[in-house]
Amino acid sequence: NNGDFSYGKTREDEVFEEFVFAATDSTSGGAINANFSEIISKECIFDNNKASQGGAISVYGASTTTIDGCVFKNNQASCDVAERETSEKGPWSNMGLGGGIYINSSEGGKIEVYNSDFYDNRALNGYGAFYSVYTNGAGSDLIVNPDVTFAFCTFVDNITTRKYGGEITKPW
């Protein structure tokens, strides 16, 4: 299953405003899983959500993702041994990444995060608060997304248990 809200390119772009997402559990994006759709989240609270990637939000293939005035706390990206061993791309693939947010955008995708707080989010394999990459034109290589903006955000006690950064994907 995928998030409380799961949608793809057959749906209009989605705006979430003043929602509270709490204690959800899914495969991709504990609260929101968006595929090939723009996502805008304003003044939402994401608390204690869990998924294999993107404890609170997972976005794949979107051109634009905007987060403004949101709180991400106690979210978790993890996976069990069975999920890791059956993954199509190998034992670690993209599971357990992005405790708060996981984004794999279209090439040239734009990600903006403003006035948001990330507290106590956890990721098994990396990037406790935020993970963002895009797939190159050949569709095979994951590249750190260069068009990410963070402004007036707070990051406190976001951790990873195995490797990579506790807070966000480099090079910000």
Side-chain angles (χ1 to χ4, degrees), residues 5-14 36-37:
F5 290 91
S6 185
Y7 57 95
K9 59 182 161 183
T10 58
R11 238 182 116 154
E12 294 295 319
D13 297 336
E14 194 71 52
F36 300 100
S37 297

Side-chain angles (χ1 to χ4, degrees), residues 115-128:
N115 308 304
S116 295
D117 300 324
F118 295 81
Y119 299 104
D120 300 311
N121 298 290
R122 298 169 308 285
L124 176 68
N125 286 321
Y127 315 108

Side-chain angles (χ1 to χ4, degrees), residues 32-133:
I32 299 171
N33 179 52
N35 291 299
F36 300 100
S37 297
E38 180 177 330
I39 181 173
I40 299 170
S41 181
K42 296 180 180 181
E43 299 179 19
C44 293
I45 297 172
F46 297 87
D47 185 15
N48 198 33
N49 301 291
K50 182 180 177 184
S52 293
Q53 62 184 20
I57 296 175
S58 177
V59 178
Y60 180 80
S63 58
T64 303
T65 301
T66 305
I67 309 292
D68 190 5
C70 293
V71 175
F72 294 84
K73 61 182 180 175
N74 302 313
N75 298 292
Q76 181 178 356
S78 67
C79 55
D80 63 26
V81 173
E83 286 176 321
R84 288 195 310 265
E85 289 176 355
T86 59
S87 170
E88 293 177 15
K89 295 181 180 177
W92 298 106
S93 133
N94 58 358
M95 294 185 191
L97 297 171
I101 301 172
Y102 172 95
I103 297 176
N104 185 337
S105 66
S106 303
E107 187 169 356
K110 184 175 182 180
I111 296 112
E112 300 172 330
V113 184
Y114 303 109
N115 308 304
S116 295
D117 300 324
F118 295 81
Y119 299 104
D120 300 311
N121 298 290
R122 298 169 308 285
L124 176 68
N125 286 321
Y127 315 108
F130 181 89
Y131 176 81
S132 174
V133 294

Side-chain angles (χ1 to χ4, degrees), residues 122-145:
R122 298 169 308 285
L124 176 68
N125 286 321
Y127 315 108
F130 181 89
Y131 176 81
S132 174
V133 294
Y134 72 87
T135 306
N136 71 2
S140 59
D141 295 327
L142 293 179
I143 302 164
V144 173
N145 194 329

